[in-house]
Structures are given as C-alpha cells and as structure tokens.
PDB file of all heavy atoms in Angstrom:
ATOM      1  N   PHE W  22     -78.967 -92.324 -34.901  1.00  0.00           N
ATOM      2  CA  PHE W  22     -78.899 -92.483 -33.448  1.00  0.00           C
ATOM      3  C   PHE W  22     -78.329 -91.231 -32.815  1.00  0.00           C
ATOM      4  O   PHE W  22     -78.815 -90.746 -31.792  1.00  0.00           O
ATOM      5  CB  PHE W  22     -78.056 -93.731 -33.129  1.00  0.00           C
ATOM      6  CG  PHE W  22     -77.898 -93.972 -31.669  1.00  0.00           C
ATOM      7  CD1 PHE W  22     -78.927 -94.499 -30.911  1.00  0.00           C
ATOM      8  CD2 PHE W  22     -76.701 -93.610 -31.031  1.00  0.00           C
ATOM      9  CE1 PHE W  22     -78.751 -94.677 -29.567  1.00  0.00           C
ATOM     10  CE2 PHE W  22     -76.548 -93.816 -29.689  1.00  0.00           C
ATOM     11  CZ  PHE W  22     -77.583 -94.351 -28.943  1.00  0.00           C
ATOM     12  N   CYS W  23     -77.280 -90.677 -33.439  1.00  0.00           N
ATOM     13  CA  CYS W  23     -76.659 -89.468 -32.895  1.00  0.00           C
ATOM     14  C   CYS W  23     -77.604 -88.296 -32.982  1.00  0.00           C
ATOM     15  O   CYS W  23     -77.710 -87.482 -32.052  1.00  0.00           O
ATOM     16  CB  CYS W  23     -75.365 -89.148 -33.677  1.00  0.00           C
ATOM     17  SG  CYS W  23     -74.007 -90.353 -33.370  1.00  0.00           S
ATOM     18  N   SER W  24     -78.368 -88.216 -34.099  1.00  0.00           N
ATOM     19  CA  SER W  24     -79.340 -87.118 -34.249  1.00  0.00           C
ATOM     20  C   SER W  24     -80.419 -87.224 -33.186  1.00  0.00           C
ATOM     21  O   SER W  24     -80.839 -86.212 -32.614  1.00  0.00           O
ATOM     22  CB  SER W  24     -79.963 -87.171 -35.647  1.00  0.00           C
ATOM     23  OG  SER W  24     -78.972 -86.965 -36.633  1.00  0.00           O
ATOM     24  N   LEU W  25     -80.841 -88.407 -32.902  1.00  0.00           N
ATOM     25  CA  LEU W  25     -81.894 -88.592 -31.893  1.00  0.00           C
ATOM     26  C   LEU W  25     -81.397 -88.243 -30.520  1.00  0.00           C
ATOM     27  O   LEU W  25     -82.092 -87.611 -29.719  1.00  0.00           O
ATOM     28  CB  LEU W  25     -82.400 -90.055 -31.921  1.00  0.00           C
ATOM     29  CG  LEU W  25     -83.509 -90.406 -30.922  1.00  0.00           C
ATOM     30  CD1 LEU W  25     -84.740 -89.533 -31.199  1.00  0.00           C
ATOM     31  CD2 LEU W  25     -83.865 -91.892 -31.066  1.00  0.00           C
ATOM     32  N   ALA W  26     -80.165 -88.543 -30.231  1.00  0.00           N
ATOM     33  CA  ALA W  26     -79.592 -88.229 -28.923  1.00  0.00           C
ATOM     34  C   ALA W  26     -79.507 -86.751 -28.731  1.00  0.00           C
ATOM     35  O   ALA W  26     -79.792 -86.193 -27.657  1.00  0.00           O
ATOM     36  CB  ALA W  26     -78.208 -88.900 -28.797  1.00  0.00           C
ATOM     37  N   VAL W  27     -79.085 -86.015 -29.771  1.00  0.00           N
ATOM     38  CA  VAL W  27     -78.976 -84.563 -29.686  1.00  0.00           C
ATOM     39  C   VAL W  27     -80.358 -83.966 -29.475  1.00  0.00           C
ATOM     40  O   VAL W  27     -80.543 -83.043 -28.675  1.00  0.00           O
ATOM     41  CB  VAL W  27     -78.314 -84.009 -30.972  1.00  0.00           C
ATOM     42  CG1 VAL W  27     -78.342 -82.482 -31.008  1.00  0.00           C
ATOM     43  CG2 VAL W  27     -76.888 -84.469 -31.056  1.00  0.00           C
ATOM     44  N   LEU W  28     -81.327 -84.476 -30.214  1.00  0.00           N
ATOM     45  CA  LEU W  28     -82.675 -83.935 -30.109  1.00  0.00           C
ATOM     46  C   LEU W  28     -83.229 -84.120 -28.714  1.00  0.00           C
ATOM     47  O   LEU W  28     -83.868 -83.214 -28.148  1.00  0.00           O
ATOM     48  CB  LEU W  28     -83.573 -84.636 -31.141  1.00  0.00           C
ATOM     49  CG  LEU W  28     -85.023 -84.147 -31.176  1.00  0.00           C
ATOM     50  CD1 LEU W  28     -85.101 -82.635 -31.473  1.00  0.00           C
ATOM     51  CD2 LEU W  28     -85.806 -84.947 -32.246  1.00  0.00           C
ATOM     52  N   MET W  29     -82.978 -85.273 -28.106  1.00  0.00           N
ATOM     53  CA  MET W  29     -83.470 -85.528 -26.767  1.00  0.00           C
ATOM     54  C   MET W  29     -82.792 -84.611 -25.779  1.00  0.00           C
ATOM     55  O   MET W  29     -83.422 -84.134 -24.816  1.00  0.00           O
ATOM     56  CB  MET W  29     -83.187 -86.988 -26.393  1.00  0.00           C
ATOM     57  CG  MET W  29     -84.051 -87.980 -27.168  1.00  0.00           C
ATOM     58  SD  MET W  29     -83.679 -89.681 -26.718  1.00  0.00           S
ATOM     59  CE  MET W  29     -84.185 -89.658 -25.034  1.00  0.00           C
ATOM     60  N   GLN W  30     -81.545 -84.273 -25.948  1.00  0.00           N
ATOM     61  CA  GLN W  30     -80.837 -83.372 -25.041  1.00  0.00           C
ATOM     62  C   GLN W  30     -81.427 -81.985 -25.150  1.00  0.00           C
ATOM     63  O   GLN W  30     -81.625 -81.290 -24.148  1.00  0.00           O
ATOM     64  CB  GLN W  30     -79.353 -83.377 -25.398  1.00  0.00           C
ATOM     65  CG  GLN W  30     -78.510 -82.507 -24.484  1.00  0.00           C
ATOM     66  CD  GLN W  30     -78.483 -83.013 -23.054  1.00  0.00           C
ATOM     67  OE1 GLN W  30     -78.368 -84.215 -22.854  1.00  0.00           O
ATOM     68  NE2 GLN W  30     -78.521 -82.090 -22.076  1.00  0.00           N
ATOM     69  N   VAL W  31     -81.765 -81.598 -26.356  1.00  0.00           N
ATOM     70  CA  VAL W  31     -82.330 -80.254 -26.557  1.00  0.00           C
ATOM     71  C   VAL W  31     -83.686 -80.166 -25.879  1.00  0.00           C
ATOM     72  O   VAL W  31     -84.013 -79.178 -25.214  1.00  0.00           O
ATOM     73  CB  VAL W  31     -82.431 -79.952 -28.058  1.00  0.00           C
ATOM     74  CG1 VAL W  31     -83.197 -78.653 -28.297  1.00  0.00           C
ATOM     75  CG2 VAL W  31     -81.045 -79.835 -28.674  1.00  0.00           C
ATOM     76  N   CYS W  32     -84.463 -81.193 -26.030  1.00  0.00           N
ATOM     77  CA  CYS W  32     -85.819 -81.165 -25.409  1.00  0.00           C
ATOM     78  C   CYS W  32     -85.704 -81.129 -23.920  1.00  0.00           C
ATOM     79  O   CYS W  32     -86.471 -80.461 -23.243  1.00  0.00           O
ATOM     80  CB  CYS W  32     -86.609 -82.418 -25.861  1.00  0.00           C
ATOM     81  SG  CYS W  32     -87.123 -82.342 -27.560  1.00  0.00           S
ATOM     82  N   SER W  33     -84.735 -81.800 -23.400  1.00  0.00           N
ATOM     83  CA  SER W  33     -84.566 -81.808 -21.951  1.00  0.00           C
ATOM     84  C   SER W  33     -84.206 -80.445 -21.435  1.00  0.00           C
ATOM     85  O   SER W  33     -84.717 -79.977 -20.416  1.00  0.00           O
ATOM     86  CB  SER W  33     -83.492 -82.847 -21.594  1.00  0.00           C
ATOM     87  OG  SER W  33     -83.237 -82.808 -20.198  1.00  0.00           O
ATOM     88  N   ASN W  34     -83.344 -79.747 -22.175  1.00  0.00           N
ATOM     89  CA  ASN W  34     -82.970 -78.397 -21.763  1.00  0.00           C
ATOM     90  C   ASN W  34     -84.158 -77.466 -21.838  1.00  0.00           C
ATOM     91  O   ASN W  34     -84.354 -76.584 -20.983  1.00  0.00           O
ATOM     92  CB  ASN W  34     -81.840 -77.892 -22.640  1.00  0.00           C
ATOM     93  CG  ASN W  34     -80.529 -78.680 -22.397  1.00  0.00           C
ATOM     94  OD1 ASN W  34     -80.308 -79.220 -21.302  1.00  0.00           O
ATOM     95  ND2 ASN W  34     -79.625 -78.699 -23.389  1.00  0.00           N
ATOM     96  N   LEU W  35     -84.957 -77.588 -22.842  1.00  0.00           N
ATOM     97  CA  LEU W  35     -86.135 -76.714 -22.994  1.00  0.00           C
ATOM     98  C   LEU W  35     -87.131 -76.933 -21.861  1.00  0.00           C
ATOM     99  O   LEU W  35     -87.751 -75.993 -21.361  1.00  0.00           O
ATOM    100  CB  LEU W  35     -86.806 -76.978 -24.362  1.00  0.00           C
ATOM    101  CG  LEU W  35     -86.037 -76.476 -25.590  1.00  0.00           C
ATOM    102  CD1 LEU W  35     -86.742 -76.893 -26.873  1.00  0.00           C
ATOM    103  CD2 LEU W  35     -85.826 -74.955 -25.573  1.00  0.00           C
ATOM    104  N   GLU W  36     -87.301 -78.164 -21.412  1.00  0.00           N
ATOM    105  CA  GLU W  36     -88.265 -78.436 -20.326  1.00  0.00           C
ATOM    106  C   GLU W  36     -87.775 -77.851 -19.037  1.00  0.00           C
ATOM    107  O   GLU W  36     -88.551 -77.338 -18.227  1.00  0.00           O
ATOM    108  CB  GLU W  36     -88.472 -79.942 -20.188  1.00  0.00           C
ATOM    109  CG  GLU W  36     -89.268 -80.518 -21.330  1.00  0.00           C
ATOM    110  CD  GLU W  36     -89.412 -82.033 -21.216  1.00  0.00           C
ATOM    111  OE1 GLU W  36     -88.819 -82.609 -20.279  1.00  0.00           O
ATOM    112  OE2 GLU W  36     -90.121 -82.630 -22.040  1.00  0.00           O
ATOM    113  N   VAL W  37     -86.417 -77.861 -18.840  1.00  0.00           N
ATOM    114  CA  VAL W  37     -85.864 -77.247 -17.617  1.00  0.00           C
ATOM    115  C   VAL W  37     -86.113 -75.766 -17.632  1.00  0.00           C
ATOM    116  O   VAL W  37     -86.509 -75.160 -16.631  1.00  0.00           O
ATOM    117  CB  VAL W  37     -84.362 -77.573 -17.502  1.00  0.00           C
ATOM    118  CG1 VAL W  37     -83.710 -76.771 -16.369  1.00  0.00           C
ATOM    119  CG2 VAL W  37     -84.155 -79.046 -17.303  1.00  0.00           C
ATOM    120  N   ASP W  38     -85.937 -75.139 -18.768  1.00  0.00           N
ATOM    121  CA  ASP W  38     -86.182 -73.699 -18.863  1.00  0.00           C
ATOM    122  C   ASP W  38     -87.653 -73.391 -18.640  1.00  0.00           C
ATOM    123  O   ASP W  38     -87.996 -72.370 -18.039  1.00  0.00           O
ATOM    124  CB  ASP W  38     -85.749 -73.200 -20.265  1.00  0.00           C
ATOM    125  CG  ASP W  38     -84.217 -73.269 -20.444  1.00  0.00           C
ATOM    126  OD1 ASP W  38     -83.526 -73.354 -19.400  1.00  0.00           O
ATOM    127  OD2 ASP W  38     -83.781 -73.284 -21.602  1.00  0.00           O
ATOM    128  N   ALA W  39     -88.497 -74.249 -19.136  1.00  0.00           N
ATOM    129  CA  ALA W  39     -89.932 -73.984 -18.962  1.00  0.00           C
ATOM    130  C   ALA W  39     -90.319 -74.038 -17.520  1.00  0.00           C
ATOM    131  O   ALA W  39     -91.182 -73.309 -17.061  1.00  0.00           O
ATOM    132  CB  ALA W  39     -90.731 -74.994 -19.796  1.00  0.00           C
ATOM    133  N   GLU W  40     -89.723 -74.918 -16.741  1.00  0.00           N
ATOM    134  CA  GLU W  40     -90.046 -74.991 -15.318  1.00  0.00           C
ATOM    135  C   GLU W  40     -89.563 -73.756 -14.608  1.00  0.00           C
ATOM    136  O   GLU W  40     -90.195 -73.264 -13.676  1.00  0.00           O
ATOM    137  CB  GLU W  40     -89.409 -76.245 -14.711  1.00  0.00           C
ATOM    138  CG  GLU W  40     -90.049 -77.520 -15.199  1.00  0.00           C
ATOM    139  CD  GLU W  40     -89.344 -78.747 -14.631  1.00  0.00           C
ATOM    140  OE1 GLU W  40     -88.345 -78.565 -13.915  1.00  0.00           O
ATOM    141  OE2 GLU W  40     -89.812 -79.882 -14.916  1.00  0.00           O
ATOM    142  N   GLU W  41     -88.407 -73.242 -15.030  1.00  0.00           N
ATOM    143  CA  GLU W  41     -87.874 -72.057 -14.385  1.00  0.00           C
ATOM    144  C   GLU W  41     -88.632 -70.833 -14.821  1.00  0.00           C
ATOM    145  O   GLU W  41     -88.804 -69.891 -14.021  1.00  0.00           O
ATOM    146  CB  GLU W  41     -86.392 -71.897 -14.747  1.00  0.00           C
ATOM    147  CG  GLU W  41     -85.515 -72.996 -14.150  1.00  0.00           C
ATOM    148  CD  GLU W  41     -84.053 -72.868 -14.566  1.00  0.00           C
ATOM    149  OE1 GLU W  41     -83.746 -71.965 -15.397  1.00  0.00           O
ATOM    150  OE2 GLU W  41     -83.242 -73.660 -14.080  1.00  0.00           O
ATOM    151  N   ASP W  42     -89.131 -70.757 -16.047  1.00  0.00           N
ATOM    152  CA  ASP W  42     -89.880 -69.602 -16.525  1.00  0.00           C
ATOM    153  C   ASP W  42     -91.150 -70.081 -17.170  1.00  0.00           C
ATOM    154  O   ASP W  42     -91.240 -70.284 -18.367  1.00  0.00           O
ATOM    155  CB  ASP W  42     -89.030 -68.843 -17.548  1.00  0.00           C
ATOM    156  CG  ASP W  42     -89.679 -67.517 -17.945  1.00  0.00           C
ATOM    157  OD1 ASP W  42     -90.730 -67.174 -17.301  1.00  0.00           O
ATOM    158  OD2 ASP W  42     -89.168 -66.872 -18.866  1.00  0.00           O
ATOM    159  N   PRO W  43     -92.199 -70.268 -16.310  1.00  0.00           N
ATOM    160  CA  PRO W  43     -93.456 -70.783 -16.870  1.00  0.00           C
ATOM    161  C   PRO W  43     -94.169 -69.805 -17.757  1.00  0.00           C
ATOM    162  O   PRO W  43     -95.108 -70.135 -18.450  1.00  0.00           O
ATOM    163  CB  PRO W  43     -94.294 -71.123 -15.625  1.00  0.00           C
ATOM    164  CG  PRO W  43     -93.738 -70.290 -14.533  1.00  0.00           C
ATOM    165  CD  PRO W  43     -92.271 -70.092 -14.839  1.00  0.00           C
ATOM    166  N   GLN W  44     -93.818 -68.511 -17.793  1.00  0.00           N
ATOM    167  CA  GLN W  44     -94.473 -67.525 -18.630  1.00  0.00           C
ATOM    168  C   GLN W  44     -94.092 -67.647 -20.075  1.00  0.00           C
ATOM    169  O   GLN W  44     -94.712 -67.042 -20.948  1.00  0.00           O
ATOM    170  CB  GLN W  44     -94.144 -66.102 -18.131  1.00  0.00           C
ATOM    171  CG  GLN W  44     -94.556 -65.841 -16.686  1.00  0.00           C
ATOM    172  CD  GLN W  44     -96.051 -65.934 -16.526  1.00  0.00           C
ATOM    173  OE1 GLN W  44     -96.780 -65.529 -17.437  1.00  0.00           O
ATOM    174  NE2 GLN W  44     -96.463 -66.460 -15.367  1.00  0.00           N
ATOM    175  N   THR W  45     -93.029 -68.375 -20.317  1.00  0.00           N
ATOM    176  CA  THR W  45     -92.571 -68.459 -21.692  1.00  0.00           C
ATOM    177  C   THR W  45     -93.263 -69.576 -22.380  1.00  0.00           C
ATOM    178  O   THR W  45     -93.074 -70.750 -22.044  1.00  0.00           O
ATOM    179  CB  THR W  45     -91.051 -68.714 -21.734  1.00  0.00           C
ATOM    180  OG1 THR W  45     -90.399 -67.688 -20.993  1.00  0.00           O
ATOM    181  CG2 THR W  45     -90.537 -68.714 -23.172  1.00  0.00           C
ATOM    182  N   PRO W  46     -94.181 -69.268 -23.331  1.00  0.00           N
ATOM    183  CA  PRO W  46     -94.959 -70.305 -23.997  1.00  0.00           C
ATOM    184  C   PRO W  46     -94.193 -70.947 -25.152  1.00  0.00           C
ATOM    185  O   PRO W  46     -93.277 -70.352 -25.715  1.00  0.00           O
ATOM    186  CB  PRO W  46     -96.164 -69.540 -24.531  1.00  0.00           C
ATOM    187  CG  PRO W  46     -95.658 -68.164 -24.795  1.00  0.00           C
ATOM    188  CD  PRO W  46     -94.588 -67.879 -23.790  1.00  0.00           C
ATOM    189  N   GLY W  47     -94.621 -72.116 -25.430  1.00  0.00           N
ATOM    190  CA  GLY W  47     -94.181 -72.777 -26.656  1.00  0.00           C
ATOM    191  C   GLY W  47     -92.784 -73.212 -26.658  1.00  0.00           C
ATOM    192  O   GLY W  47     -92.216 -73.422 -27.722  1.00  0.00           O
ATOM    193  N   ARG W  48     -92.086 -73.383 -25.427  1.00  0.00           N
ATOM    194  CA  ARG W  48     -90.696 -73.766 -25.451  1.00  0.00           C
ATOM    195  C   ARG W  48     -90.516 -75.210 -25.079  1.00  0.00           C
ATOM    196  O   ARG W  48     -89.414 -75.694 -25.089  1.00  0.00           O
ATOM    197  CB  ARG W  48     -89.895 -72.862 -24.485  1.00  0.00           C
ATOM    198  CG  ARG W  48     -89.915 -71.409 -24.914  1.00  0.00           C
ATOM    199  CD  ARG W  48     -89.063 -70.587 -23.960  1.00  0.00           C
ATOM    200  NE  ARG W  48     -87.672 -71.039 -23.996  1.00  0.00           N
ATOM    201  CZ  ARG W  48     -86.738 -70.508 -23.225  1.00  0.00           C
ATOM    202  NH1 ARG W  48     -87.020 -69.573 -22.337  1.00  0.00           N
ATOM    203  NH2 ARG W  48     -85.485 -70.946 -23.312  1.00  0.00           N
ATOM    204  N   SER W  49     -91.634 -75.912 -24.719  1.00  0.00           N
ATOM    205  CA  SER W  49     -91.460 -77.324 -24.357  1.00  0.00           C
ATOM    206  C   SER W  49     -91.288 -78.153 -25.602  1.00  0.00           C
ATOM    207  O   SER W  49     -91.724 -77.786 -26.684  1.00  0.00           O
ATOM    208  CB  SER W  49     -92.670 -77.842 -23.568  1.00  0.00           C
ATOM    209  OG  SER W  49     -93.792 -77.824 -24.390  1.00  0.00           O
ATOM    210  N   CYS W  50     -90.647 -79.302 -25.340  1.00  0.00           N
ATOM    211  CA  CYS W  50     -90.428 -80.213 -26.461  1.00  0.00           C
ATOM    212  C   CYS W  50     -91.739 -80.778 -26.970  1.00  0.00           C
ATOM    213  O   CYS W  50     -91.897 -80.990 -28.144  1.00  0.00           O
ATOM    214  CB  CYS W  50     -89.502 -81.363 -26.000  1.00  0.00           C
ATOM    215  SG  CYS W  50     -89.092 -82.567 -27.296  1.00  0.00           S
ATOM    216  N   ALA W  51     -92.686 -80.938 -26.016  1.00  0.00           N
ATOM    217  CA  ALA W  51     -93.981 -81.487 -26.444  1.00  0.00           C
ATOM    218  C   ALA W  51     -94.661 -80.539 -27.372  1.00  0.00           C
ATOM    219  O   ALA W  51     -95.235 -80.932 -28.383  1.00  0.00           O
ATOM    220  CB  ALA W  51     -94.847 -81.794 -25.224  1.00  0.00           C
ATOM    221  N   ASN W  52     -94.570 -79.194 -26.990  1.00  0.00           N
ATOM    222  CA  ASN W  52     -95.216 -78.233 -27.866  1.00  0.00           C
ATOM    223  C   ASN W  52     -94.468 -78.114 -29.181  1.00  0.00           C
ATOM    224  O   ASN W  52     -95.046 -77.924 -30.255  1.00  0.00           O
ATOM    225  CB  ASN W  52     -95.278 -76.878 -27.201  1.00  0.00           C
ATOM    226  CG  ASN W  52     -96.254 -76.886 -26.002  1.00  0.00           C
ATOM    227  OD1 ASN W  52     -97.166 -77.687 -26.005  1.00  0.00           O
ATOM    228  ND2 ASN W  52     -96.011 -75.993 -25.047  1.00  0.00           N
ATOM    229  N   TRP W  53     -93.228 -78.232 -29.083  1.00  0.00           N
ATOM    230  CA  TRP W  53     -92.420 -78.073 -30.288  1.00  0.00           C
ATOM    231  C   TRP W  53     -92.610 -79.227 -31.224  1.00  0.00           C
ATOM    232  O   TRP W  53     -92.628 -79.055 -32.423  1.00  0.00           O
ATOM    233  CB  TRP W  53     -90.937 -77.956 -29.849  1.00  0.00           C
ATOM    234  CG  TRP W  53     -90.012 -77.843 -31.024  1.00  0.00           C
ATOM    235  CD1 TRP W  53     -89.827 -76.785 -31.860  1.00  0.00           C
ATOM    236  CD2 TRP W  53     -89.151 -78.857 -31.458  1.00  0.00           C
ATOM    237  NE1 TRP W  53     -88.901 -77.026 -32.802  1.00  0.00           N
ATOM    238  CE2 TRP W  53     -88.456 -78.366 -32.580  1.00  0.00           C
ATOM    239  CE3 TRP W  53     -88.887 -80.149 -31.037  1.00  0.00           C
ATOM    240  CZ2 TRP W  53     -87.486 -79.101 -33.249  1.00  0.00           C
ATOM    241  CZ3 TRP W  53     -87.932 -80.841 -31.731  1.00  0.00           C
ATOM    242  CH2 TRP W  53     -87.247 -80.329 -32.830  1.00  0.00           C
ATOM    243  N   MET W  54     -92.830 -80.429 -30.580  1.00  0.00           N
ATOM    244  CA  MET W  54     -92.986 -81.602 -31.432  1.00  0.00           C
ATOM    245  C   MET W  54     -94.458 -81.957 -31.643  1.00  0.00           C
ATOM    246  O   MET W  54     -94.741 -82.949 -32.239  1.00  0.00           O
ATOM    247  CB  MET W  54     -92.293 -82.812 -30.779  1.00  0.00           C
ATOM    248  CG  MET W  54     -90.784 -82.632 -30.721  1.00  0.00           C
ATOM    249  SD  MET W  54     -90.001 -84.087 -29.995  1.00  0.00           S
ATOM    250  CE  MET W  54     -90.390 -85.267 -31.249  1.00  0.00           C
ATOM    251  N   GLY W  55     -95.419 -81.165 -31.132  1.00  0.00           N
ATOM    252  CA  GLY W  55     -96.870 -81.536 -31.231  1.00  0.00           C
ATOM    253  C   GLY W  55     -97.365 -81.485 -32.652  1.00  0.00           C
ATOM    254  O   GLY W  55     -97.069 -80.544 -33.370  1.00  0.00           O
ATOM    255  N   GLY W  56     -98.165 -82.525 -32.993  1.00  0.00           N
ATOM    256  CA  GLY W  56     -98.742 -82.558 -34.318  1.00  0.00           C
ATOM    257  C   GLY W  56    -100.220 -82.142 -34.284  1.00  0.00           C
ATOM    258  O   GLY W  56    -100.723 -81.625 -33.298  1.00  0.00           O
ATOM    259  N   ALA W  57    -100.933 -82.410 -35.342  1.00  0.00           N
ATOM    260  CA  ALA W  57    -102.372 -82.080 -35.429  1.00  0.00           C
ATOM    261  C   ALA W  57    -103.195 -83.010 -34.522  1.00  0.00           C
ATOM    262  O   ALA W  57    -102.843 -84.169 -34.361  1.00  0.00           O
ATOM    263  CB  ALA W  57    -102.815 -82.225 -36.888  1.00  0.00           C
ATOM    264  N   PRO W  58    -104.313 -82.528 -33.894  1.00  0.00           N
ATOM    265  CA  PRO W  58    -105.159 -83.375 -33.011  1.00  0.00           C
ATOM    266  C   PRO W  58    -105.705 -84.585 -33.775  1.00  0.00           C
ATOM    267  O   PRO W  58    -106.064 -84.485 -34.942  1.00  0.00           O
ATOM    268  CB  PRO W  58    -106.282 -82.446 -32.578  1.00  0.00           C
ATOM    269  CG  PRO W  58    -105.740 -81.049 -32.807  1.00  0.00           C
ATOM    270  CD  PRO W  58    -104.792 -81.134 -33.967  1.00  0.00           C
TER     271      PRO W  58
END
C-alpha cells in the first residue's frame, strides 16, 4: 500500500511537469507505465 502511494505521488508530479514543459517527452506516468499495444 505504501509503495503504491509513493508511486502515485511520483506520477502526479511528472504530469504537472509535463503540463509546464510540453516539449519534454516521455515524462508522463502513462508513458512511463505504458505496456505493449
């Protein structure tokens, strides 16, 4: 549970950064956690 909470906080921070700097690719949690199609 604690590991999941930390992970969610990290993803949230990454999404905020992505909104502030859209030129930076691959920093969203979705991209970081994306699997094969």
Side-chain angles (χ1 to χ4, degrees):
F22 179 76
C23 290
S24 297
L25 180 60
V27 173
L28 181 58
M29 290 179 65
Q30 182 65 42
V31 172
C32 288
S33 176
N34 292 333
L35 289 176
E36 288 177 356
V37 171
D38 292 342
E40 291 177 357
E41 293 177 355
D42 188 6
Q44 302 296 324
T45 304
R48 296 182 62 182
S49 65
C50 182
N52 291 334
W53 178 72
M54 293 182 66

